[in-house]
Amino acid sequence: MSVEKLQEIGAPYTSPIWNISSKIERFIALCCIVLLFLLAIKNIVVGYYVLAAFIGTLMATLWVDVLSSIRGDPLPVPVPVVLAVLAATILVTIWYCGPQGALWAFPAIVGGSLVEARKAGASFSVPLIFAVSMLVMWLGELTLAIRLFLSLSLTAAYMWFSVTKTRVLQKKLLAASTRDPLTGSYNRRYLNWVAGQTNGKRASVMLVDIDHFKEVNDSLGHARGDLVLKQVALLMDNLLGNRGTLFRVGGEEFLILLESRSDGQVFAEIIRS
């Protein structure tokens, strides 16, 4: 199965999703909240109440998500909503504080590319680049607008390239950590992870052992034995389809986990025959 299929069935995939799972991520979010709080107070003091309201809204959304992550709940405010509020805050900052407010677009593009998927990150970065450049140009800074457009575009392109390379490496690490290198079946490590995610849900479990496999290795050699293992695993995986998951738990021993209890005995007979 592909990496996308692993994600559908709940494989431990580390690509960025709408969740805050590590202490480092929470620490960064809390630092951003403190910074936003100070910026909001400063803008209230100087009389930029609209800008302070946007900054306060962004601070509130981050705070709600951080609290939910601490409790282990899904984020109530999705990442695209946070990015939309961030983009609006940057544009209001440029309107009130001048073209220098466009500098906030650089960390926003970097952060948006890291926390969002590639397509969604691009859908945030590209409109922000055009909006920032057009607003700065409308304020009478044509040369600065051109420089901002080129530099922000280069930043977005670099982040897209970096995230793409990172995801390729993640896919390779995922396959290496959850799959048996010989048969392509899942390994014991992933089986332990799945067992910890059952939460009392009932399922069918069957153990499959290849009869007389030692004789194959002794008479034909280990290379032929490896071929037998590959073909048997491929056959079982094709028969299994989307009804369950195949694990290799020993030399010629496999474990099959079916989501439905009612199909267990019937499917076991199909595998045996």
Side-chain angles (χ1 to χ4, degrees):
M1 286 184 284
S2 64
V3 172
E4 289 74 15
K5 186 61 181 176
L6 296 183
Q7 291 177 270
E8 291 179 6
I9 64 174
Y13 187 57
T14 57
S15 80
I17 55 176
W18 298 347
N19 194 13
I20 303 175
S21 55
S22 69
K23 294 182 179 180
I24 296 178
E25 290 173 337
R26 294 194 188 105
F27 176 75
I28 294 174
L30 289 174
C31 290
C32 291
I33 291 172
V34 173
L35 177 61
L36 291 171
F37 177 77
L38 296 176
L39 290 174
I41 295 299
K42 177 182 177 181
N43 284 279
I44 291 175
V45 171
V46 298
Y48 293 160
Y49 300 112
V50 176
L51 178 56
F54 273 92
I55 295 175
T57 302
L58 181 60
M59 179 181 65
T61 56
L62 287 176
W63 180 247
V64 169
D65 282 348
V66 169
L67 288 180
S68 298
S69 71
I70 294 175
R71 295 194 298 265
D73 300 331
L75 301 188
V77 183
V79 172
V81 175
V82 178
L83 293 179
V85 176
L86 175 60
T89 304
I90 292 173
L91 295 177
V92 175
T93 302
I94 298 173
W95 178 263
Y96 275 92
C97 302
Q100 65 270 20
L103 297 177
W104 290 103
F106 287 96
I109 289 176
V110 173
S113 300
L114 292 176
V115 301
E116 268 293 279
R118 285 184 297 160
K119 292 182 179 180
S123 65
F124 164 74
S125 300
V126 173
L128 180 61
I129 292 171
F130 277 97
V132 167
S133 302
M134 293 299 294
L135 183 56
V136 171
M137 185 175 62
W138 189 83
L139 293 175
E141 298 285 348
L142 178 59
T143 303
L144 180 59
I146 295 175
R147 291 177 178 176
L148 282 171
F149 179 80
L150 294 176
S151 57
L152 288 173
S153 299
L154 181 62
T155 301
Y158 173 77
M159 290 305 303
W160 180 87
F161 177 80
S162 300
V163 171
T164 301
K165 288 294 184 180
T166 301
R167 290 180 182 276
V168 171
L169 294 176
Q170 285 178 333
K171 291 179 181 180
K172 292 181 179 180
L173 289 174
L174 175 67
S177 62
T178 61
R179 285 191 175 274
D180 171 52
L182 177 62
T183 64
S185 306
Y186 290 112
N187 55 22
R188 281 178 173 269
R189 177 180 299 175
Y190 185 56
L191 175 61
N192 293 334
W193 186 88
V194 171
Q197 303 297 316
T198 55
N199 296 323
K201 182 180 178 181
R202 296 188 177 185
S204 294
V205 178
M206 62 187 72
L207 290 172
V208 181
D209 183 271
I210 303 177
D211 292 340
H212 314 298
F213 182 74
K214 186 176 183 301
E215 297 179 8
V216 176
N217 280 333
D218 293 342
S219 59
L220 301 177
H222 289 280
R224 291 290 183 176
D226 290 346
L227 181 61
V228 170
L229 288 173
K230 292 179 182 179
Q231 293 299 321
V232 171
L234 179 62
L235 175 62
M236 290 192 293
D237 194 46
N238 290 336
L239 291 174
L240 187 59
N242 296 326
R243 290 180 289 183
T245 310
L246 176 67
F247 304 87
R248 184 186 179 193
V249 296
E252 74 275 17
E253 298 172 351
F254 295 85
L255 183 144
I256 296 176
L257 178 64
L258 289 176
E259 297 180 359
S260 174
R261 289 188 299 161
S262 59
D263 297 336
Q265 187 172 355
V266 175
F267 191 76
E269 179 58 28
I270 295 175
I271 291 293
R272 188 200 64 79
S273 62

